[in-house]
Amino acid sequence: VIGGALLYSLRNRLIAPHLSTWIEQQIKAETGLSVSVGRVRGTYFDQIIIENLVTRDPIPGNPLRRLDLKRVEATYSLFTLLKSTTAFIESVSVNLKQADATLDWRFPADAPQTEKNGPLVLPTAFPPPDLLPRIHLENASIDLHTEGFSGKLEDLDADLVQSHSGEMHLALTATSWQWNLSGVSRGQAPVRLDLYYTEKSIAIAPLTIGRNALTASAGINLNKLPDALPFSAKLTTADAAAEISGSLRSSELEARFQADKLDLGALSSGAPDETLKADGRVSLKGDLRIPLNRPEQLDGSLVVELHGASSRGFKAECLQADAMADSGAIRLRRLDLYDPRNRI
């Protein structure tokens, strides 16, 4: 008994170094990521704490370029193993604190063209994990990069919970969401997201950006994989609305969209170039079919209405345009323009 008590009191010196190595090896085996673990401690019977988990070398093609996790605390009940593995996983709660990560989907300039522009391959299935513990993320910062876009989430908190039916629910809040869409828009606002994920669908309801409550909802149907990926989304503000729906296939993107009385001032307020800023309201309706291997060969139609529009000295009480595209050739079918002095 005394020997056992002495061994337990020295657990953080005798066991922790071997446990750190085992954790590094398991993460490498499961994800391919090389990580280093600064310290492991805890009771081990119902709690384990990992400190300073850091990625060492990014994997080519993996968007996770950097991860610095100050603290991971897992609590659990070993007695639930007497019932089943499922009962044990359900008893596990994981708290991640002060995570700093970078996700980058950009290809390097010297990447092979087939890697950059190869055909789109939709997955045959997209099922969520069979069973996950409760996960809480606290005070995180995530940098996001794609071609032409960069963003950063700061002071990020998130909770991931899986129900008995298998549905995953992610609730996310960030006090600061910064974005920069190259040459078009940049800005900063708080953000909140609720995402629901099952074997058949992914749903976002709602996504709220800014204190003026720009709210969006979206859905992705996973039932038609690998042939197609249908999607839909709605965006609403206090006095405007927009909708889009369509389907993504390996060879083309189809989309139908409609917007009513969108505020041009709000849409262009984040534009870095003054020439892109405008005022007024815009409504539009259209449909597009874009071949992914030759997007310039698009087909579709677009109807646009501007009311009270102004930009760089141009003013129009009302502008209505009706255009269509056929195999990349764009034709303006109708244009009506009314300003204080002219009617065209």
Side-chain angles (χ1 to χ4, degrees):
V1 175
I2 296 175
L6 180 62
L7 180 63
Y8 181 73
S9 67
L10 295 174
R11 64 192 182 280
N12 290 329
R13 292 186 180 181
L14 300 178
I15 301 175
H18 300 286
L19 191 55
S20 296
T21 302
W22 181 82
I23 291 172
E24 292 172 354
Q25 292 173 345
Q26 287 298 112
I27 293 176
K28 177 73 172 179
E30 293 293 330
T31 67
L33 290 170
S34 296
V35 302
S36 63
V37 173
R39 184 186 180 193
V40 177
R41 59 187 178 90
T43 65
Y44 302 155
F45 288 110
D46 59 4
Q47 177 204 52
I48 184 170
I49 298 172
I50 303 171
E51 297 178 344
N52 297 322
L53 188 152
V54 182
T55 53
R56 290 188 292 211
D57 299 311
I59 302 173
N62 189 319
L64 181 60
R65 303 297 172 86
R66 181 180 59 88
L67 174 63
D68 185 347
L69 190 53
K70 296 299 183 186
R71 179 183 170 100
V72 181
E73 181 179 356
T75 58
Y76 46 85
S77 173
L78 288 177
F79 294 106
T80 55
L81 282 173
L82 299 175
K83 296 180 180 179
S84 65
T85 303
T86 299
F88 172 73
I89 295 177
E90 289 177 345
S91 77
V92 177
S93 179
V94 180
N95 293 304
L96 312 174
K97 296 184 179 181
Q98 291 184 283
D100 192 0
T102 297
L103 296 170
D104 195 334
W105 288 269
R106 294 173 297 185
F107 288 103
D110 58 351
Q113 290 299 311
T114 54
E115 186 179 15
K116 290 183 180 180
N117 303 318
L120 177 65
V121 179
L122 297 176
T124 55
F126 209 78
D130 293 332
L131 188 61
L132 281 176
R134 296 183 301 277
I135 299 174
H136 174 70
L137 177 64
E138 181 181 336
N139 192 20
S141 175
I142 301 177
D143 285 292
L144 305 168
H145 301 278
T146 62
E147 296 293 342
F149 175 85
S150 62
K152 186 170 186 175
L153 290 161
E154 291 184 310
D155 194 15
L156 168 66
D157 290 349
D159 286 284
L160 180 63
V161 180
Q162 189 172 33
S163 67
H164 290 286
S165 64
E167 180 185 65
M168 289 172 51
H169 175 212
L170 173 66
L172 177 152
T173 59
T175 59
S176 175
W177 160 237
Q178 303 170 37
W179 68 89
N180 186 351
L181 185 60
S182 297
V184 179
S185 176
R186 65 166 62 99
Q188 177 179 338
V191 64
R192 181 187 173 204
L193 166 71
D194 279 280
L195 183 145
Y196 299 87
Y197 176 26
T198 70
E199 186 176 0
K200 296 181 179 180
S201 66
I202 297 174
I204 297 174
L207 165 65
T208 304
I209 302 174
R211 293 182 175 85
N212 294 328
L214 184 154
T215 303
S217 60
I220 300 175
N221 186 345
L222 305 177
N223 279 330
K224 295 187 177 182
L225 288 174
D227 298 321
L229 194 64
F231 61 87
S232 63
K234 295 181 180 180
L235 182 149
T236 58
T237 64
D239 54 0
E243 297 183 16
I244 184 171
S245 63
S247 183
L248 176 64
R249 294 181 172 83
S250 60
S251 60
E252 66 181 21
L253 170 66
E254 293 182 352
R256 297 166 296 280
F257 51 89
Q258 181 172 338
D260 185 37
K261 299 179 180 178
L262 295 181
D263 186 345
L264 287 173
L267 291 174
S268 63
S269 62
D273 189 340
E274 289 294 325
T275 62
L276 298 176
K277 293 187 177 182
D279 291 306
R281 295 280 177 172
V282 60
S283 299
L284 53 88
K285 183 177 182 179
D287 62 86
L288 290 173
R289 186 189 66 82
I290 304 175
L292 298 183
N293 60 339
R294 298 192 66 186
E296 70 278 4
Q297 296 293 314
L298 62 90
D299 293 324
S301 63
L302 175 65
V303 178
V304 180
E305 292 187 10
L306 294 174
H307 297 276
S310 64
S311 176
R312 299 188 66 196
F314 167 81
K315 293 184 179 181
E317 291 180 359
C318 179
L319 184 150
Q320 298 176 329
D322 183 351
M324 66 172 293
D326 184 5
S327 299
I330 299 176
R331 180 162 60 93
L332 184 64
R333 294 186 291 196
R334 183 178 179 86
L335 175 66
D336 296 329
L337 173 63
Y338 305 88
D339 69 19
R341 292 176 297 179
N342 302 291
R343 173 172 175 169
I344 301 175

